[in-house]
Amino acid sequence: MERVFIFDTTLRDGEQTPGASLTVREKLEIARQLEKLGVDVIEAGFPATSPGDFEAVRRITQEVSVPVIAALARALPFDIERAGEALKKAKNGRVHTFIGTSPIHMKYQLNKSPQQVLQLARKAVKLAREYTSKVEFSPMDATRSDFVFLCEVIEAVINEGAGVINIPDTVGYSAPEEFGNLIQRIMEKVPGINETILSVHCHDDLGMATANSLAAVKKGARQIECAINGLGERAGNTSLEEVVMALKTRQDFFSFSTSIHTQQIYRTSRLVSRLTGIFVQPNKAIVGENAFRHESGIHQDGVLKKAATFEIMSPSSIGVKGEGLVLGKLSGRHAFKERLKELGFLLKDEELELAFGAFKELADKKKNIYDEDLVFIVEEKISEIPEVYTLDYIHTVTGNKILSTATVRVKKKGEMFQEAACGDGPVDAAYKAIDRITGIRLALVDYSIHSVTGGKDALGEVMIKVKGEGDLITGKGASTDIIEASAKAYINAINRLVYRQRNNK
Ligand code: KIV
Ligand code: ZN
């Protein structure tokens, strides 16, 4: 069966999701998981945009060995040189260069004539070839470009040595039949296109990214660019899990395979959600928490009799274990370590100790510990962000007829600092007390809470977005007490801010 290559852009286009910025270590962690997932290409970043992106691409080339590592670059010498430098140690590196080819992009964004754009594209590919043998070229906003000009640009860059031609539906404007036809017409018109890999990169502004990508595959595209959980600019990119599971579940219709180990999909989705701070909507196809839940009596009855009555794929095919309780208060280190191994975590001894301590603490408060709790514990404890500030104690008084107050004690470098404040509710009061302790003022832009598992004693997971002087910063915290989880999330955001300032990110 013919293969469709899976090009993952979670770390590049996905990171362009508002508020989803990742540290270098977080990117490395996701890259390692993408390797386990089996993607063919990891687009690791856009090195010219920041030293952090450059470093992330460089580190990923050193620590991830199987997938091709791609680095994005505008069709400008500086960008291409930075991408080439970042990929220097890559076993299998790819410079991905792009320029807008639609009339609206050329006139208003680039202020260049079509002939100037054509020359820039040609030169960019030529220069990129000096750094890597495989160069990918994208005519940005291809779906709103003049077809004859689009083909002219593609032919020119193929002649300069581009080996992958990617057709982006940059603004998510196209419809499946139309996009499939565009791919077919390019295949028919452009000399040399059969010697390249034809790729597609769809955005989901009209909710058609997955359908467009699959229609393109039917007409000759052999690489799909996509992101975990459909992350990406605006409404996001084609969701990796959707195209992969569509190709697998409907192999009878599409007749294509991918290299993806689908049992790693759920774990990858959870990791990306946790590290980016972007929740997955419950009804999201494949990885939403309702994707395999049956509510109506008729459906439940059918599934109990035979799963295939209402399930077109099994939860286990994406790595949802389905078994409930895993560990409890009396479970020992060995069982804990083994379970983590099954969940894909290989921890160093000191990391295991930290995680085990947190597990025991949680087991004292919560009777049943589920896989989701374990994943949360590990990801919270094993973080690259130094805990400059840690929450030591919190006490709040609140009610519907009294002014809420909070007393908070925070540890910094072994020293304790305590403050009290009142506010509009206990979370506001706690945040004001923390502001007094740290002297850092942050505006709260977004606050959400979510229970990690079912049950009244579930861990409450709080995700917040705050704004300091620069970009949005995400903070995360979890506890069986939601006020404590809120305070932890706020302190986590402050620690991230301090880390960013120290590392000039
Ligand atoms: O959406 C887009 O056009 C892109 C390109 C850089 C490929 O992300
Ligand atoms: Zn894009």
Side-chain angles (χ1 to χ4, degrees), residues 12-13 72 96 98 138 140-141 166 168-170 201 203 225:
R12 200 279 296 169
D13 212 320
L72 188 69
H96 174 193
F98 71 97
S138 291
M140 188 159 76
D141 206 15
N166 178 47
D169 183 24
T170 303
H201 175 112
H203 279 268
E225 301 200 355

Side-chain angles (χ1 to χ4, degrees), residues 26-46:
E26 287 167 340
K27 285 188 181 178
L28 268 170
E29 203 175 333
I30 293 176
R32 281 192 215 104
Q33 180 58 30
L34 289 172
E35 184 174 35
K36 273 194 209 149
L37 179 66
V39 303
D40 297 289
V41 186
I42 295 176
E43 187 163 53
F46 193 166

Side-chain angles (χ1 to χ4, degrees), residues 331-344:
S331 306
R333 234 182 222 81
H334 182 68
F336 179 71
K337 187 175 171 182
E338 283 307 303
R339 189 66 202 156
L340 288 185
K341 236 201 245 168
E342 282 169 33
L343 290 171

Side-chain angles (χ1 to χ4, degrees), residues 367-431:
K367 198 164 147 234
N368 301 334
I369 307 278
Y370 299 90
D371 282 350
E372 292 90 332
D373 295 318
L374 293 181
V375 171
F376 198 93
I377 287 171
V378 175
E379 284 170 0
E380 190 183 47
K381 285 288 157 197
I382 314 305
S383 162
E384 140 195 44
I385 309 292
E387 292 205 299
V388 177
Y389 296 98
T390 47
L391 180 70
D392 180 63
Y393 166 93
I394 181 162
H395 174 83
T396 54
V397 181
T398 191
N400 62 345
K401 299 266 164 69
I402 59 165
L403 187 63
S404 298
T405 58
T407 307
V408 181
R409 195 161 63 218
V410 167
K411 193 153 101 186
K412 185 186 177 193
K413 288 191 190 151
E415 225 186 305
M416 293 293 184
F417 300 87
Q418 185 165 304
E419 280 289 351
C422 40
D424 289 334
V427 173
D428 185 44
Y431 285 6

Side-chain angles (χ1 to χ4, degrees), residues 100-103 139-150:
T101 51
S102 65
M140 188 159 76
D141 206 15
T143 50
R144 294 191 299 168
S145 300
D146 171 74
F147 181 68
V148 174
F149 178 62
L150 180 65

